[in-house]
Amino acid sequence: MSPRSCKLQGVQPAAKFVLSAVCIAAMGTAALNAHAAWDYVGPPASTDPSAYTDQPADPTQALQDLLTKSEANEGAREVPGGIFLEKEEIRLNNVLQPADQTSYNYPTNGMPSPMFGATPWTQKLLMFEEFGPEKLDENVQAGTNPFPRPSTGAAPEQDPANLMHSGPAGAALDAFLAQAGISPFPQREANTSVRNPWQPDIEQFLERFLNNAPAEGRPPGEGWAHQRWNEFYPQSYFKTVQAGARVNSGLRDGKQLHQWKYGEFGPGGLYYSATGNAGTKVQIHPAMPVQNHNSVWTFDGTLPPKLLMARYGQPMLMRHYNALPIDPQANNGFGLHTISTHEHNGHNPAESDGFANAFFFPGQFYDYRWPLQLAGYDTINTTASESKAAFPCSPGETLWVNDANPGVKTCDQGKIKIRGDWRETMSTHWFHDHMLDFTAQNVYKGNAVMMNYYSALDRGNEAMDDGVNLRLPSGSAMPWGNRDYDVNLVVADKAWDQTGQLWFNPFNTDGFIGDRMTVNWQWAPTLDVRARRYRFRILNGSVSRYFAIGIVAECAGERTCEMPGPSGSRVSYKRVPFHMIANDGNLLEHAVPFDGSMDLDNNGSRQDHNGVLPTQAIAERYDIVVDFAKGGLKAGDKLYFVNTMEQDTGVLAKRRIPLADILSEKYKPELKTRSDGSKQWIKGDPVVGKFMQLNIQPYTGTDASMDPSQYEPAKPGKSAGKKMIPLWLDRNNPNDMAKLQTARHRSFHFGRSAVATDTQPWIVATDGGADYHADPRRISAAPQLANGPTDGGSSGEGTVEVWEIQSGAGWSHPVHVHFEEGIVLNRDDQPPPEWEKWARKDVYRVGGDEESSGKLTLAIHFREFAGTYVEHCHNTQHEDNSMLLRWDIEHPGQFQVMPTPLPTWDGVEYAPSVGVPTFRTGDGFGPK
């Protein structure tokens, strides 16, 4: 395959490459079909709605003008009469308006959450429900049921009287999602020819006609077309809908990879259900009220929480429908009905990243196409000859690969080799809403799911011993994707009002913390586990709360084990050691032991992380391996996950509480009844303590999973073990560090300043420049790709930069950089702790908490895809109150700037963008 060139305004000659994967849309033939074409990689034409514009030679005035322009997301808040609500008016129906709020810390300015007689350890943990992707085949006759319009109906699933406050009936949604195929069929550019099927209802609400309102919410034109569509043509897809809470009908039971017949999900297994997930209600505990349709908005509108199981090398398309209420105030006082879905932190082109201002409306869909390729695809292992870079497959499966001999490859001994850098393999992701100014509220309300990436290294089959597969705990009943001993957990603090409906305080811009801990949307669940090794993928899905999670085992007798229980309890507890194997979804170079054998953060103590994880900020993912057959553990034992991190505001994590104090109830928050009959939490943080019980069951099988102790870093008395995935940069290698001296340097300061206001208290300053509130029309940084698409056999290093993230000590900010992972070089000029030393990260904690720092420096790569991304604090109340900036990845030679999408009910318009003075130059070179 040979490159062709084009010469267009605003870009150097750009390569176009012949397709690829689209030629096997039917996944059964290697013959090219009518779709085979060259992928265009140049800029939009000047007549295109998404055409690039010139950056002012002096951007001072343009940047000043942005401060007085209408808010970029105001189109989401339109109501009758051509009025656009203020952000504050969206929370009109909150049950606790500012005048009614308290000064209590738990929950933030609210009232303690009532329990309705619920007791702990009386419900089984909900295991994640798989979306169940299927083959994308344009020859499949698509169903003819249109996306159902909203209707009135019985509560709690619908509004019985007001159509504008309701959504479609659950049965209608299920019938729509269950039908074969997909219509209209996905395409490269946004589909603007098909109308929003809710148009009559929207016009009735707005009291005006819509002007060609499109069904697809993706911004139109070349600028937001799917990049390299032919090369990464989606070979699988799934449909889902954001909807109000409703009972699970069992829609996806037949789409589970385990089919309710294999491993622990089969008959006789720990997680088997004869009825699947049918009948599951959106309920935090069986003793508590069912959630209303305007209180909780989840994927499909149902529980269990959803899981996407994806494989490297197989591009996937998610068609995400919006079935939320037309009236933006029909939200139980928090959340906005427009959404933008961010796959955190996929190596995805910008049009499918979930840009905060590329949101879509009720009645619309958005096609997110995720290439699922290894980073470095264009520059490293472009011949697809490395066995560690591979698609895990079942016998007979095929995959199109753009290697030295592009074409369809067939599964060979469980894998198909693919292009890219195997050191960039990722494992545990999630995707969630990223609506500008409303991320916290929408995610808290239910717009979040998890995503497991499977690869040759991490295939989800522990029995396959091919010298590549790391054999992480999973199971072996299926060729890949076994979840028998691989458990996804989303932990998050919540609160609910006095009627039991989910409650959030959107008025406090410092942050929000709840007073009840949940796991997979449940309070105090239990989980049965076998006496063997398990993997837990732990996501902090909170808004502002940090965790420090420990694991303990209960012992009979108050003095039997090291930590006594409460007086008279006749129990004591011991720490349960484990290994961290992944940080932020990326397998580590070495498995880090949390067993007291190492001083993990160089503070002089080996015990402070013995059986207790480090601080886990919002959106951080920690994967750990626990052996339930080691250290005296046996069938019949009870264990507990315990949160040890105390927090009293949304500003920062406060302190760790010793496990011994928690377990003895020396530290025990209490509910105090006040003279007026109301209640208040006193004597501590109610989210500190046990939050999940585990019960060990007998295991008669053979544990074939890897022993993480063989992969540990060097520690006293023991040399370094094997490596899981080595980093692409070695801090101790002079040649690697020398390359960074010529890398562009950028700095970002997260904090408050004189320009802060009550409604926009947080700012970000770039390269020592002005403090700015969030505005998606302002570009703060713009790295440029080193090259465009390449043929098999090409090589290079891509674009490497050094970024410095800073914050003051009075608060904590977990800063998230979209698209690409970085390697932490240092914290306050000191080496990072062990759990970061061996990691690739996408969330970087800076600020005043004890395991953070005022400054963090990282090295980061940019390759393959261009477009518009964001960087922000993942304390999402900070993000939503202006602590977010836009940064772009530009094409090679690009000198014009990409415009900003401004969605409306009538379609997406564009506004010119402007870069800050240093957006292309940064503030120097190399680490400072």
Side-chain angles (χ1 to χ4, degrees):
M1 197 165 57
S2 61
R4 294 168 58 191
S5 297
C6 66
K7 202 166 188 177
L8 295 162
Q9 182 182 12
V11 72
Q12 290 180 343
K16 298 177 179 180
F17 285 83
V18 123
L19 163 102
S20 72
V22 72
C23 63
I24 54 162
M27 289 295 291
T29 175
L32 290 173
N33 63 25
H35 291 288
W38 294 86
D39 273 322
Y40 177 68
V41 293
S46 60
T47 55
D48 190 289
S50 61
Y52 297 174
T53 57
D54 292 331
Q55 163 75 0
D58 181 356
T60 305
Q61 188 59 52
L63 290 168
Q64 186 66 29
D65 291 345
L66 281 183
L67 303 179
T68 58
K69 287 187 179 295
S70 299
E71 293 179 322
N73 65 353
E74 72 169 11
R77 307 192 300 271
E78 185 179 358
V79 293
I83 296 171
F84 296 91
L85 298 176
E86 296 295 327
K87 175 182 174 181
E88 294 75 21
E89 295 176 282
I90 299 299
R91 50 204 190 195
L92 175 69
N93 294 313
N94 197 289
V95 296
L96 283 180
Q97 294 294 308
D100 303 318
Q101 292 192 356
T102 71
S103 60
Y104 305 161
N105 292 331
Y106 310 108
T108 302
N109 306 128
M111 301 293 294
S113 303
M115 294 309 301
F116 300 90
T119 55
W121 329 131
T122 55
Q123 62 173 334
K124 286 193 173 183
L125 180 74
L126 289 174
M127 307 298 278
F128 274 67
E129 180 177 52
E130 300 163 22
F131 280 114
E134 53 194 285
K135 179 176 64 178
L136 180 64
D137 186 349
E138 63 184 344
N139 297 312
V140 170
Q141 182 64 46
T144 57
N145 291 340
F147 184 46
R149 289 165 58 182
S151 61
T152 56
E157 294 193 3
Q158 290 182 286
D159 191 291
N162 191 331
L163 184 75
M164 306 308 163
H165 291 185
S166 196
L173 284 175
D174 285 339
F176 173 75
L177 292 172
Q179 63 188 347
I182 184 169
S183 179
F185 201 76
Q187 60 185 48
R188 182 175 171 272
E189 286 193 24
N191 189 329
T192 58
S193 63
V194 179
R195 301 277 71 81
N196 186 333
W198 289 20
Q199 182 165 336
D201 308 302
I202 298 163
E203 290 176 337
Q204 180 183 348
F205 173 71
L206 294 177
E207 299 176 355
R208 70 173 180 85
F209 292 113
L210 296 183
N211 181 22
N212 297 321
E216 182 169 6
R218 183 160 49 110
E222 181 62 40
W224 284 75
H226 290 303
Q227 296 175 54
R228 302 170 73 166
W229 171 252
N230 288 327
E231 188 171 6
F232 304 128
Y233 186 83
Q235 297 178 27
S236 62
Y237 82 102
F238 67 100
K239 299 174 289 189
T240 185
V241 59
Q242 210 67 35
R246 63 193 183 96
V247 175
N248 191 320
S249 69
L251 170 73
R252 298 195 185 274
D253 281 338
K255 296 180 180 294
Q256 304 307 290
L257 193 63
H258 54 68
Q259 300 177 50
W260 300 107
K261 64 171 71 170
Y262 299 119
E264 298 288 2
F265 288 88
L270 293 180
Y271 315 124
Y272 173 70
S273 171
T275 57
N277 288 313
T280 304
K281 300 175 182 178
V282 180
Q283 212 169 4
I284 294 171
H285 187 280
M288 296 179 61
V290 172
Q291 294 296 306
N292 291 332
H293 67 99
N294 59 359
S295 298
V296 172
W297 295 341
T298 71
F299 283 77
D300 289 359
T302 63
L303 291 179
K306 302 298 178 281
L307 174 67
L308 178 59
M309 301 174 69
R311 289 181 284 176
Y312 266 110
Q314 185 179 64
M316 183 179 296
L317 182 135
M318 174 180 73
R319 176 159 293 179
H320 195 179
Y321 289 91
N322 186 340
L324 301 177
I326 292 171
D327 186 340
Q329 293 176 315
N331 60 359
N332 201 29
F334 63 96
L336 190 61
H337 63 181
T338 46
I339 54 180
S340 177
T341 309
H342 169 52
E343 199 271 271
H344 180 132
N345 195 45
H347 188 68
N348 295 319
E351 68 277 359
S352 293
D353 181 70
F355 180 57
N357 218 61
F359 53 87
F360 61 109
F361 288 79
Q364 289 188 311
F365 67 84
Y366 195 118
D367 280 348
Y368 294 90
R369 189 283 316 260
W370 298 321
L372 296 172
Q373 305 297 319
L374 290 165
Y377 176 97
D378 286 330
T379 53
I380 296 174
N381 181 37
T382 60
T383 58
S385 55
E386 170 58 65
S387 61
K388 294 179 180 178
F391 167 77
C393 50
S394 303
E397 283 193 287
T398 59
L399 184 76
W400 188 90
V401 181
N402 186 17
D403 57 12
N405 297 292
V408 176
K409 316 296 179 180
T410 301
C411 189
D412 182 15
Q413 298 183 20
K415 57 182 178 287
I416 298 173
K417 295 178 184 178
I418 60 174
R419 287 173 59 149
D421 188 352
W422 67 276
R423 297 171 299 176
E424 296 283 5
T425 302
M426 298 182 286
S427 291
T428 304
H429 279 209
W430 65 309
F431 50 95
H432 60 82
D433 184 58
H434 218 301
M435 176 66 204
L436 184 67
D437 294 343
F438 290 89
T439 296
Q441 299 174 45
N442 286 356
V443 172
Y444 181 85
K445 211 170 177 76
N447 191 322
V449 301
M450 291 190 75
M451 180 177 183
N452 293 353
Y453 275 63
Y454 294 95
S455 61
L457 294 161
D458 186 5
R459 69 178 296 121
N461 184 326
E462 65 187 42
M464 185 172 183
D465 187 7
D466 60 356
V468 172
N469 180 29
L470 289 170
R471 305 177 69 181
L472 295 168
S474 49
S476 58
M478 302 181 295
W480 66 276
N482 292 280
R483 294 194 291 130
D484 305 335
Y485 315 112
D486 180 355
V487 181
N488 291 77
L489 301 174
V490 55
V491 293
D493 56 332
K494 301 286 184 184
W496 41 90
D497 63 25
Q498 300 309 294
T499 70
Q501 294 302 302
L502 191 69
W503 180 76
F504 179 83
N505 181 1
F507 302 96
N508 191 318
T509 57
D510 279 349
F512 173 81
I513 56 174
D515 65 336
R516 301 292 183 182
M517 179 71 135
T518 65
V519 188
N520 297 0
W521 275 89
Q522 296 171 288
W523 176 75
T526 67
L527 173 67
D528 287 342
V529 296
R530 297 290 186 193
R532 52 151 293 149
R533 282 188 286 266
Y534 268 69
R535 174 186 189 170
F536 292 97
R537 305 176 190 240
I538 308 170
L539 161 66
N540 181 346
S542 301
V543 170
S544 305
R545 186 181 280 277
Y546 297 71
F547 298 118
I549 296 173
I551 307 177
V552 298
E554 185 178 282
C555 310
E558 287 187 34
R559 301 293 175 183
T560 306
C561 292
E562 64 171 300
M563 296 175 286
S567 178
S569 66
R570 299 183 181 179
V571 297
S572 55
Y573 298 89
K574 64 181 179 181
R575 301 168 191 266
V576 175
F578 53 83
H579 286 78
M580 179 189 285
I581 60 164
N583 190 328
D584 279 354
N586 301 298
L587 293 175
L588 303 175
E589 184 166 317
H590 289 291
V592 178
F594 285 77
D595 59 1
S597 64
M598 293 183 69
D599 178 4
L600 299 178
D601 54 1
N602 299 310
N603 71 347
S605 171
R606 296 186 187 182
Q607 288 303 305
D608 53 0
H609 291 106
N610 184 0
V612 184
L613 281 165
T615 303
Q616 185 171 6
I618 305 92
E620 285 190 294
R621 288 90 65 214
Y622 290 163
D623 288 28
I624 64 173
V625 171
V626 187
D627 193 338
F628 296 117
K630 191 176 179 180
L633 296 177
K634 61 187 182 306
D637 285 352
K638 285 185 171 63
L639 293 83
Y640 296 91
F641 275 42
V642 184
N643 175 40
T644 69
M645 181 61 72
E646 182 186 63
Q647 193 165 339
D648 55 12
T649 72
V651 175
L652 80 167
K654 187 176 182 181
R655 61 171 179 149
R656 287 172 173 268
I657 306 300
L659 270 174
D661 290 354
I662 297 169
L663 298 167
S664 67
E665 296 187 354
K666 178 181 178 181
Y667 184 96
K668 184 183 179 183
E670 297 176 4
L671 273 175
K672 172 186 176 182
T673 301
R674 298 168 61 88
S675 59
D676 61 0
S678 66
K679 295 182 183 297
Q680 176 186 1
W681 285 107
I682 61 171
K683 298 184 179 180
D685 180 352
V687 171
V688 170
K690 303 173 187 173
F691 64 86
M692 185 171 72
Q693 181 188 76
L694 295 89
N695 303 292
I696 302 181
Q697 305 296 328
Y699 183 59
T700 58
T702 300
D703 186 348
S705 67
M706 61 100 93
D707 177 358
S709 66
Q710 297 178 4
Y711 293 82
E712 292 177 341
K715 62 182 185 180
K718 183 180 177 182
S719 58
K722 296 183 286 187
K723 294 182 178 182
M724 291 186 291
I725 299 182
L727 299 177
W728 54 263
L729 179 146
D730 183 349
R731 302 176 193 84
N732 297 317
N733 185 324
N735 292 331
D736 283 1
M737 298 307 292
K739 292 178 182 178
L740 296 183
Q741 298 306 312
T742 57
R744 195 173 306 282
H745 182 279
R746 304 181 192 274
S747 59
F748 306 93
H749 180 82
F750 288 73
R752 295 181 188 256
S753 82
V755 302
T757 66
D758 289 341
T759 57
Q760 292 184 311
W762 302 103
I763 56 86
V764 187
T766 303
D767 299 328
D771 294 344
Y772 281 121
H773 302 308
D775 192 314
R777 293 163 291 204
R778 183 192 308 110
I779 308 170
S780 295
Q784 196 162 103
L785 294 175
N787 55 269
T790 63
D791 289 332
S794 300
S795 63
E797 295 189 1
T799 299
V800 178
E801 295 195 347
V802 175
W803 288 19
E804 184 178 295
I805 301 173
Q806 311 161 356
S807 181
W811 39 74
S812 295
H813 298 301
V815 176
H816 173 44
V817 180
H818 282 216
F819 179 70
E820 200 53 273
E821 293 68 50
I823 294 174
V824 177
L825 300 176
N826 59 68
R827 283 185 169 276
D828 287 340
D829 301 319
Q830 298 300 312
E834 292 292 318
W835 57 83
E836 289 183 345
K837 180 187 296 184
W838 310 110
R840 290 169 291 124
K841 294 280 293 174
D842 62 58
V843 176
Y844 309 93
R845 285 182 288 104
V846 292
D849 64 270
E850 65 182 33
E851 291 184 333
S852 190
S853 56
K855 182 181 72 172
L856 178 149
T857 306
L858 62 105
I860 190 167
H861 258 132
F862 304 104
R863 293 165 291 186
E864 280 78 60
F865 302 113
T868 295
Y869 299 88
V870 294
E871 173 186 351
H872 59 88
C873 177
H874 224 298
N875 178 331
T876 44
Q877 268 296 78
H878 296 181
E879 171 195 332
D880 288 345
N881 291 281
S882 70
M883 190 169 262
L884 172 146
L885 63 85
R886 167 183 166 182
W887 62 278
D888 289 1
I889 300 177
E890 296 188 330
H891 295 281
Q894 181 180 327
F895 61 84
Q896 292 185 305
V897 295
M898 304 170 189
T900 307
L902 303 178
T904 73
W905 282 108
D906 299 286
V908 180
E909 304 168 354
Y910 286 96
S913 306
V914 58
V916 302
T918 60
F919 83 116
R920 284 184 173 137
T921 63
D923 60 2
F925 295 90
K928 301 298 183 185

